Amino acid sequence: MTEAAELTVPPHAGKTPMNMLEVSRHAGGVAYANMADTIATAELMSRSGIAVRSHLRGEPGACHAVVMLAIAWDMNPYLVANKSYSVNNQLAFEAQLIQSVIQVRAPIKGRIKTEYKGEGGKRQLRVWAETRPAEGEASETVDYTSPEFEKIQPKNSPLWKNDPDQQLHYYSVRAWCRRHFPEILLGVYAPDEVPPVDLQPGEYREVQSDGMNAKLDRIAAPKKERATRAAAPPAQPDHDPETGEILKESSAEPTKSKDEPVKAPGPVKAAEPDPVKEPVKVTSGKPAPDPEADRRATEQEKAAAAGALDPDDDPFREDVVEEEKPHPVRVAVGEFGRRAATAKTEEEFEGLRKDLMKAVKGLPATDPEYVNAATAYKTHLNSFRERIAKVEEASKTSTSAGEQSDQSGMSADEEDELERLLVHELDHSPRGIDTGSLAQVKAYLKGMEAAAKGRAAGAVPAIYSSEESEAWKAGHAYRTANAKSEG
């Protein structure tokens, strides 16, 4: 691979050729011809690193579920992916996304309307909209009024405390949709709606809101207060944390009467392991206390709501798994994309291309990381060319107060530069190019410079137009021929 070789996408990279995915206004910008297209998109998404949330990285099956939902909703798959969560081993979505889906997909006229009434624990929200009837049917207003705030259970989301009106709005719109248009949200849940994972089929468990509030208070409490609380001695006898049963053997000394003789302590027996307990059978609406299950059922929602916590403040830090370091080629592709988006000159973009070539050096053209890098390069190259073309077009059509353009479309400064190059940089009259074109003259000089450095005649920079490429080759040929004659 020569230094100036371009990155190319293999014609059949992966299961589906990249050029089979047609960009359009459908499904968030991409039209899918068949299931193979959606699978290819899901596989690419699972390798997208920081472009998607951690629960989708390396999970093409979950990514495919997101892609299929995005198609059904006419949304960009990556936007849907980044509004999703993994809650209790189930895919869930932010309330903001769910409300967007309802607003767009529900058969209604205009937007959903709401009205709050009452205060405090008696606060309620009425939701209504006018239906968009089918042919032959009459329009009607369908509405829903939420329960009083204090009667809504469970309240798993932190917004119930931090922004109760907003959370009541999300809750009520979802309930309104599920009552009147259940087909819109089949199998789609917000994080606070997902039940605990330890329920058996047919069982029901009511989440206790007091436990949730206590945990939210613990997250918000300052370090010192939590440390003091953790150091305080227990205010009750030792008990089983799962069943609440007081243990028979306690570390406290039993109370003895005055007349009872004190017996010498016997030999200490090794503690026997606890027997394996049978799962608690839930036969009513309120299960036996299970703090661990409650923690598992809510820790992810709270951690997501809390944002990026200080490691010393994170109550779930013992569960944090250090993520695998990103592949160096992915890092290089990300840096290339960030800088290419603002590149202003051909020389700058060429330098970025060389850096990207170094990152993929040695990889076969069929390697997924090479394919990803090649795709990113082509995408940003086309974008760069379009951006430069727009700038050039604008410069040709615009005039300034103190500067007039001639028929060639060049400004006074460009004319001065062209004259300098022809008079001072060239000692001969170039052939095969338009000497009235500044871009071609510059490309001609670059070709001469490349030949002097020993670069191959085919190493034309990819960013050149066809006319500039021919000018570059002409300059390379002139310098090569004169170097041979001099030799």
Side-chain angles (χ1 to χ4, degrees), residues 4-333:
E6 287 191 35
L7 289 167
T8 57
V9 181
H12 295 287
K15 294 184 179 179
T16 305
M18 289 290 182
N19 56 10
M20 285 181 63
L21 298 182
E22 178 188 356
V23 176
S24 75
R25 292 176 296 176
H26 301 289
V30 179
Y32 299 90
N34 48 44
M35 184 64 77
D37 288 353
T38 64
I39 293 173
T41 301
E43 290 178 346
L44 179 61
M45 181 182 289
S46 69
R47 302 196 303 268
S48 296
I50 60 173
V52 295
R53 291 182 170 177
S54 59
H55 64 277
L56 296 176
R57 298 170 194 168
E59 297 290 342
C63 290
H64 192 254
V66 169
V67 172
M68 298 303 290
L69 286 172
I71 292 173
W73 296 337
D74 290 344
M75 291 183 177
N76 185 304
Y78 280 87
L79 296 182
V80 175
N82 287 312
K83 289 293 182 180
S84 69
Y85 289 104
S86 172
V87 182
N88 301 332
N89 293 323
Q90 181 172 338
L91 201 60
F93 299 90
E94 287 186 12
Q96 183 187 65
L97 173 68
I98 292 176
Q99 179 151 341
S100 299
V101 171
I102 295 171
Q103 182 65 60
V104 173
R105 309 298 293 174
I108 60 175
K109 296 180 181 179
R111 302 193 68 81
I112 298 169
K113 300 174 178 59
T114 58
E115 179 184 17
Y116 291 94
K117 58 182 179 180
E119 297 295 336
K122 301 298 181 181
R123 194 161 179 78
Q124 293 177 282
L125 179 65
R126 178 182 173 235
V127 180
W128 75 95
E130 185 179 356
T131 61
R132 187 174 62 249
E135 185 177 355
E137 296 180 357
S139 177
E140 62 176 327
T141 299
V142 290
D143 65 354
Y144 167 85
T145 301
S146 73
E148 293 178 348
F149 185 87
E150 62 188 11
K151 295 180 180 179
I152 297 176
Q153 296 295 339
K155 292 187 176 74
N156 289 340
S157 172
L159 282 179
W160 286 113
K161 295 184 67 175
N162 301 335
D163 194 351
D165 274 359
Q166 182 66 38
Q167 188 60 25
L168 182 60
H169 177 88
Y170 287 147
Y171 173 94
S172 302
V173 171
R174 288 198 306 261
W176 170 84
C177 180
R178 290 196 168 105
R179 170 176 294 183
H180 298 289
F181 311 108
E183 68 277 10
I184 301 295
L185 296 181
L186 283 178
V188 177
Y189 297 98
D192 59 309
E193 295 180 295
V194 178
V197 295
D198 57 341
L199 290 183
Q200 300 299 319
E203 292 181 345
Y204 168 77
R205 173 166 297 175
E206 180 179 341
V207 180
Q208 302 297 317
S209 60
D210 289 341
M212 170 64 69
N213 291 336
K215 291 183 179 181
L216 291 174
D217 290 340
R218 185 175 72 248
I219 292 176
K223 289 184 189 178
K224 185 174 181 181
E225 180 182 343
R226 286 206 306 276
T228 304
R229 189 185 306 163
Q236 57 184 6
D238 292 339
H239 62 281
D240 190 311
E242 295 186 356
T243 66
E245 179 184 359
I246 297 178
L247 301 178
K248 293 180 179 179
E249 295 183 5
S250 175
S251 58
E253 278 293 317
T255 305
K256 298 183 179 295
S257 64
K258 294 186 298 181
D259 301 329
E260 183 179 354
V262 179
K263 295 181 181 180
V268 178
K269 295 183 179 181
E272 296 181 359
D274 291 338
V276 177
K277 295 182 175 61
E278 292 294 329
V280 178
K281 300 292 185 181
V282 181
T283 57
S284 66
K286 294 186 178 180
D290 193 349
E292 179 61 20
D294 184 50
R295 183 186 74 84
R296 290 198 309 270
T298 57
E299 63 182 4
Q300 183 157 348
E301 297 97 307
K302 295 191 300 249
L309 301 176
D310 187 310
D312 293 334
D313 289 337
D314 187 355
F316 311 114
R317 59 184 177 277
E318 69 274 8
D319 298 331
V320 174
V321 178
E322 185 175 350
E323 291 190 7
E324 181 182 357
K325 292 184 178 180
H327 194 286
V329 173
R330 295 179 197 171
V331 175
V333 170

Side-chain angles (χ1 to χ4, degrees), residues 316-372:
F316 311 114
R317 59 184 177 277
E318 69 274 8
D319 298 331
V320 174
V321 178
E322 185 175 350
E323 291 190 7
E324 181 182 357
K325 292 184 178 180
H327 194 286
V329 173
R330 295 179 197 171
V331 175
V333 170
E335 179 65 14
F336 170 79
R338 184 182 65 80
R339 297 175 60 189
T342 57
K344 294 182 175 61
T345 64
E346 297 169 354
E347 290 79 3
E348 183 180 358
F349 193 90
E350 177 67 9
L352 298 179
R353 185 192 66 82
K354 290 180 179 179
D355 292 340
L356 187 59
M357 290 290 294
K358 292 177 183 178
V360 300
K361 186 176 181 181
L363 290 179
T366 55
D367 187 281
E369 299 301 337
Y370 184 98
V371 173
N372 186 37

